[in-house]
Amino acid sequence: MGQKVELACIIDDDKIYVNLVKKIIEIKKLSENLLIYKNGKEALDYFKEIMENVTDEDKLPDIIFLDLNMPVMDGWEFLNEFIKIKNQLNKKITLYVVSSSIDPRDLERARSFNLVTDYLIKPIELKKFEKIFEKTAA
């Protein structure tokens, strides 16, 4: 594996899941750095802050794993807000919705956002997770 993902971002309030993913990323060396936010608002505030300071664009993640069910601002609200600012970010960001929901309506709704690459159901298999990072880094 040649290239690595520079910066990955997890937006999820499930501490156990986040710690597990963090461990996998560290052990498998899938990403150089990792941003972790407990809800969509924290992540959105971060992105807006970076937009104000153009020199910080290298602090934008290559990949985002977004949970749907979170307090304060859930994944749907985050997607609606992120769409508004995405075009002002000079970086291609790959976004995956990650949820334990197997409701087909959630799947359809997530896929209706053209910035969503795919909908992943928790728990994500390790092999699939590695492939996602390989694809993003390529």
Side-chain angles (χ1 to χ4, degrees):
M1 207 174 118
Q3 287 180 299
K4 250 198 293 214
V5 169
E6 281 295 314
L7 184 59
C9 176
I10 300 169
I11 307 170
D12 200 314
D13 64 323
D14 180 342
K15 284 193 185 82
I16 295 163
Y17 165 78
V18 169
N19 284 333
L20 181 73
V21 171
K22 199 172 141 186
K23 277 275 175 285
I24 292 169
I25 289 171
E26 284 168 8
I27 292 165
K28 295 284 184 178
K29 296 179 174 54
L30 298 174
S31 177
E32 293 287 326
N33 298 291
L34 190 57
L35 299 170
I36 297 168
Y37 299 102
K38 291 188 295 291
N39 62 61
K41 186 181 180 331
E42 280 185 10
L44 207 62
D45 289 347
Y46 173 80
F47 290 122
K48 285 180 175 170
E49 199 177 299
I50 284 182
M51 282 169 52
E52 286 165 22
N53 195 346
V54 185
T55 55
D56 284 349
E57 286 196 340
D58 57 337
K59 293 184 181 138
L60 289 172
D62 301 289
I63 188 167
I64 297 173
F65 293 97
L66 175 69
D67 185 30
L68 292 177
N69 301 313
M70 295 175 284
V72 187
M73 179 188 270
D74 69 16
W76 300 121
E77 292 169 301
F78 174 82
L79 283 169
N80 285 323
E81 291 303 310
F82 192 64
I83 280 174
K84 296 173 190 169
I85 64 166
K86 188 184 176 296
N87 294 337
Q88 295 158 42
L89 306 172
N90 290 326
K91 184 172 191 176
K92 183 189 181 295
I93 299 173
T94 309
L95 191 145
Y96 287 89
V97 167
V98 184
S99 179
S100 43
S101 167
I102 53 170
D103 186 332
R105 287 174 305 208
D106 284 343
L107 196 75
E108 279 307 302
R109 188 173 168 196
R111 290 201 172 131
S112 74
F113 287 89
N114 60 5
L115 68 136
V116 173
T117 303
D118 204 355
Y119 184 99
L120 307 169
I121 295 166
K122 290 179 184 176
I124 308 169
E125 297 163 36
L126 182 59
K127 284 274 171 258
K128 188 169 191 173
F129 203 65
E130 286 182 80
K131 275 199 174 68
I132 286 167
F133 274 88
E134 281 171 27
K135 230 180 8 196
T136 304

